[in-house]
Amino acid sequence: MKDKELIKRSIEEIRATLPVGVTLIAVSKYHPAEAIEAAYEAGQRDFGESKAQDLKAKHELLAKDIRWHFIGHLQSNKIKYIAPFIHLIHSIDSFRLLEEVNRHGAKNGRRIPCLLQIHIAQEESKFGFTPDECLEMLAGEQWRTLENVEIRGLMCMASNTDDREQIATEFSAVQELFKKIKARHFSDDKKFSIISAGMSDDYPIAINHGSTHIRVGSSIFAE
Ligand SMILES: *Cc1c(COP(=O)(O)O)cnc(C)c1O
């Protein structure tokens, strides 16, 4: 973990470069509560975690006005840890998972905001719907019966490559998919408005291609 002053300075430096309307999510996975407190002191309120139990533990320990974002692969049996309070689940990668989150939303008397994760990178290992699978799922209209989830937009991770053109092409494809889905299924729904794209190494490219929420970890917290 970095020195607290360095964490604060990193937050301030990144925030200074962001256009109005772009939300910085500080990805605090693997970092202790003290690191999150340093970012919090710099005014940061949106934090991302990729393990449900870690997120729950940090939620219990830290300030209650923190908005917690779940960004990792979510297993159905772990939804219960985060369902009562999670601000946004970025990583819905199947209709089944959306149904399960809906069930937990109902149990907790809330509508849980969610993003659909799009598999756009070249790597096999990344989770998510392909663009066609996502369009097909939405065309099915069954999701409209799920009253305890709200689909707010799309999330993606670009390929892990130095090829900036390739990364730009991927973010651009997700932006086009977002526009298509918005026009087909959410034209009356102002809440469908989020593109969660961009990490420490590629967030400026993501912002150029319409990202509204960037997820930045190592640039803030790592040595
Ligand atoms: C870890 C992680 C990030 C942050 O990555 P950095 O390169 O550390 O900024 C963003 N999104 C997801 C889904 C992650 O797992």
Side-chain angles (χ1 to χ4, degrees):
M1 177 192 146
K2 268 193 208 166
D3 171 74
K4 281 197 160 200
E5 287 309 314
L6 269 179
I7 291 174
K8 285 189 204 174
R9 209 187 309 149
S10 303
I11 291 273
E12 282 156 9
E13 281 171 5
I14 293 168
R15 217 187 276 128
T17 69
L18 299 183
V20 175
V22 174
T23 299
L24 169 63
I25 299 165
V27 176
S28 49
K29 63 183 185 201
Y30 316 135
H31 297 287
E34 301 84 72
I36 298 174
E37 280 164 350
Y40 184 92
E41 283 169 26
Q44 183 64 27
R45 292 294 179 272
D46 290 273
F47 290 90
E49 288 281 333
S50 59
K51 297 256 187 314
Q53 276 134 309
D54 291 353
L55 195 156
K56 177 182 194 277
K58 286 173 174 170
H59 165 73
E60 284 170 1
L61 202 61
L62 291 161
K64 292 299 169 275
D65 62 341
I66 289 178
R67 294 180 288 268
W68 290 103
H69 296 253
F70 188 82
I71 63 170
H73 180 61
L74 185 56
Q75 291 165 280
S76 295
N77 61 349
K78 304 282 171 67
I79 300 169
K80 59 176 183 279
Y81 297 118
I82 60 172
F85 63 87
I86 194 75
H87 179 70
L88 182 63
I89 297 176
H90 291 231
S91 44
I92 299 295
D93 59 5
S94 69
F95 184 70
R96 235 196 80 90
L97 181 60
L98 191 64
E99 284 181 309
E100 285 297 310
V101 171
N102 182 67
R103 204 164 60 74
H104 285 273
K107 253 192 200 167
N108 286 278
R110 62 184 298 239
R111 285 165 68 85
I112 300 181
C114 294
L115 303 179
L116 305 176
Q117 181 170 355
I118 305 302
H119 177 104
I120 201 81
Q122 290 166 320
E123 291 95 358
E124 276 295 320
S125 62
K126 294 196 172 136
F127 293 102
F129 295 95
T130 65
D132 281 344
E133 286 167 352
C134 185
L135 289 170
E136 198 177 310
M137 188 275 280
L138 290 169
E141 296 283 334
Q142 216 189 330
W143 56 274
R144 289 203 191 269
T145 65
L146 306 178
E147 292 183 346
N148 293 90
V149 286
E150 287 174 354
I151 300 177
R152 293 283 183 86
L154 305 181
M155 179 273 223
C156 70
M157 290 169 86
S159 296
N160 186 9
T161 170
D162 292 332
D163 182 348
R164 317 306 276 173
E165 290 289 325
Q166 174 66 25
I167 293 171
T169 301
E170 292 172 2
F171 286 143
S172 170
V174 169
Q175 185 178 27
E176 290 311 309
L177 181 65
F178 175 90
K179 287 182 190 162
K180 188 184 277 188
I181 290 172
K182 175 85 182 164
R184 285 189 189 171
H185 301 288
F186 295 93
S187 54
D188 297 335
D189 183 352
K190 282 199 178 61
K191 287 181 171 175
F192 186 87
S193 61
I194 296 176
I195 299 178
S196 166
M199 324 197 323
S200 291
D201 289 338
D202 58 19
Y203 72 82
I205 308 174
I207 291 170
N208 284 341
H209 294 281
S211 176
T212 63
H213 287 56
I214 60 171
R215 310 177 308 268
V216 179
S218 44
S219 290
I220 297 171
F221 295 110
E223 309 269 1

